[in-house]
Amino acid sequence: LMKKFVSPPITDGMYDPSQEHDACGCEENTGDGVGILIQIPHRFFQRICSLQGVTLPDAGKYGTGLVFLPEEIEDAQACQQILEQIINQEGQKLLGWRDVPTDDSLLGETAKLGEPVFKQVFIAQTDNSISPETFERKLYVIRKLAEHAIANSDIDGRDLFYIPSLSNKTFVYKGMLTGSQLEPMFPDLSDADVESAMALVHQRFSTNTFPSWQAGTTVPLYRS
């Protein structure tokens, strides 16, 4: 019987077919990153804040965001203090912090190894005369100033500090997860009061980079 001849892949320029492979994580239950962007669920946040004695302003008059913090308490507190100082410097008001419920039981060991502490920050708009867009830009400035200040500090766990988004319109849940781990990881997403007219999900697959909690995925901002 004649054997079917298959010509080998041709090496052309910098392309080498021997270097081709599928991109995947090292563990089935350790993802390369997933995030979901939703409109701020005002009724939900209003309810959970009231349980902590915090009264939220009207929708659009406050900003909020998920904050990744170092596991060591002293390092986390140092990061929070820097963020709070910048909020004050930029003329806005810190309303409070919330411990974000999480369930990492489905995560792989690699993901758990670098897992940060999750908190949520609430910031009130102090000048009601400015537009929502102006306040949104102010929140962006606060986020960037805090990230820069902490990255250049001497806090041991500074590499774990990260704010995926800080907005008066949208909220992002994200992490070093697989698609099926996102909702179990953040029980907030299963609450009936978490309402949004849209939801944008982005899942990342490793190529030439190593996955991490801070760079797990990039979620573009939604503009109405």
Side-chain angles (χ1 to χ4, degrees), residues 42 46 49 54-63 93 95 122-126 128 135:
H42 176 63
Q46 193 175 45
C49 283
V54 176
T55 301
L56 288 182
D58 293 337
K61 297 296 184 180
Y62 67 93
K93 180 182 178 182
L95 292 173
F122 292 91
I123 304 169
Q125 176 180 329
T126 54
N128 290 325
F135 182 44

Side-chain angles (χ1 to χ4, degrees), residues 135-173:
F135 182 44
E136 179 84 341
R137 288 193 292 271
K138 177 63 69 174
L139 293 169
Y140 175 82
V141 169
I142 290 172
R143 177 165 70 94
K144 288 301 181 181
L145 287 175
E147 289 176 347
H148 180 77
I150 291 171
N152 289 280
S153 71
D154 58 358
I155 300 172
D156 288 340
R158 61 187 178 275
D159 291 343
L160 276 177
F161 179 84
Y162 179 56
I163 307 177
S165 77
L166 190 60
S167 173
N168 64 345
K169 298 179 180 179
T170 58
F171 192 83
V172 170
Y173 293 92

Side-chain angles (χ1 to χ4, degrees), residues 8-190:
I10 299 173
T11 300
D12 184 14
M14 297 182 67
Y15 169 72
D16 184 350
S18 67
Q19 299 300 315
E20 286 195 1
H21 59 84
D22 293 330
C24 62
C26 58
E27 296 172 335
E28 289 185 2
N29 53 356
T30 292
D32 294 310
V34 173
I36 183 170
L37 178 145
I38 59 176
Q39 291 173 311
I40 285 181
H42 176 63
R43 182 164 64 176
F44 172 67
F45 289 158
Q46 193 175 45
R47 189 189 84 213
I48 60 174
C49 283
S50 66
L51 296 175
Q52 300 182 22
V54 176
T55 301
L56 288 182
D58 293 337
K61 297 296 184 180
Y62 67 93
T64 184
L66 189 69
V67 182
F68 293 5
L69 292 166
E71 188 175 5
E72 292 295 328
I73 294 177
E74 290 185 358
D75 291 344
Q77 290 176 341
C79 290
Q80 288 176 265
Q81 288 173 1
I82 290 176
L83 177 57
E84 291 172 10
Q85 290 170 2
I86 291 172
I87 291 170
N88 291 331
Q89 290 171 10
E90 292 301 312
Q92 307 309 308
K93 180 182 178 182
L94 174 73
L95 292 173
W97 292 87
R98 172 200 178 214
D99 294 327
V100 179
T102 57
D103 179 2
D104 64 2
S105 60
L106 297 179
L107 271 60
E109 291 304 315
T110 302
K112 288 181 180 179
L113 186 63
E115 185 179 352
V117 171
F118 300 91
K119 286 187 180 289
Q120 183 179 0
V121 65
F122 292 91
I123 304 169
Q125 176 180 329
T126 54
D127 183 357
N128 290 325
S129 67
I130 64 173
S131 67
E133 290 73 23
T134 300
F135 182 44
E136 179 84 341
R137 288 193 292 271
K138 177 63 69 174
L139 293 169
Y140 175 82
V141 169
I142 290 172
R143 177 165 70 94
K144 288 301 181 181
L145 287 175
E147 289 176 347
H148 180 77
I150 291 171
N152 289 280
S153 71
D154 58 358
I155 300 172
D156 288 340
R158 61 187 178 275
D159 291 343
L160 276 177
F161 179 84
Y162 179 56
I163 307 177
S165 77
L166 190 60
S167 173
N168 64 345
K169 298 179 180 179
T170 58
F171 192 83
V172 170
Y173 293 92
K174 66 170 284 187
M176 191 175 162
L177 311 166
T178 65
S180 61
Q181 292 171 342
L182 184 61
E183 188 173 2
M185 179 66 180
F186 297 107
D188 284 0
L189 295 170
S190 301

